[in-house]
Amino acid sequence: MKSPSTLIALTALCQSASTLAFAPTSTGERASKTRCEASRRDFLSTAVTTAGIAASSVTLLTPLPGAAKGLGEGGLPDGAAQFSRVIKVKAQLKSVAKRVAEQPDDITKEEWDKIDDFLRTVYSAGNDMKVISKGIFDPSKKEKADEDIKLLQKVVQAAQKPVAQKDVKGFSAIASKADGLFDDFLDQLRDVPDEL
């Protein structure tokens, strides 16, 4: 981004150029000229001024890349965004597992297809967990977190078979295992001693 002094200088230049571009060259010419008789010089100076004003407006009004979304709109920094997605996927997995366990006869083929699509979301949560685990500094916790991530992704891949067969018990068992792996991963993020 340009410095404030550059923007101030650009704005001042545009303002002085615009006053020169629209100022009459003499009082007699102003009365005798019509809009159609404007000279090329007046046209060029007006075009340059307009382009300068447009460029400075774009520079001033363009949002910063990090400010694309405010915190209230879901724009979170790296790490926090991944953590938020992992927590949401974990909650959604519980909800889906509950729906499958409580109302298995009401689930249509389309819903089973959506559950299969959701498994891809759970699998990609493992990629978010990999980013989060980079912040774990204790080597034993880091190793355990990496194992949880790999196992979660394998469990999710295994869940596709019961979903394809519409096997409620198989899916429920795998969803329970995946939920436990989420919990175990989140336990690895704790850095407060157990003695407290």
Side-chain angles (χ1 to χ4, degrees), residues 153-168:
Q153 290 182 328
K154 287 180 182 179
V155 165
V156 170
Q157 287 175 335
Q160 290 180 328
K161 185 176 181 181
V163 169
Q165 296 174 351
K166 299 171 182 57
D167 178 13
V168 174

Side-chain angles (χ1 to χ4, degrees), residues 10-53:
L10 183 62
T11 304
L13 178 65
C14 290
Q15 287 177 346
S16 64
S18 66
T19 55
L20 292 175
F22 294 109
T25 53
S26 70
T27 52
E29 269 188 4
R30 184 176 184 201
S32 65
K33 280 188 178 180
T34 64
R35 285 185 175 182
C36 295
E37 296 173 339
S39 70
R40 285 185 220 138
R41 184 180 306 154
D42 290 341
F43 174 76
L44 287 174
S45 64
T46 303
V48 168
T49 302
T50 305
I53 291 172

Side-chain angles (χ1 to χ4, degrees), residues 74-88:
L76 295 172
D78 285 343
Q82 283 86 359
F83 185 77
S84 175
R85 285 193 296 263
V86 167
I87 296 299
K88 286 178 185 175

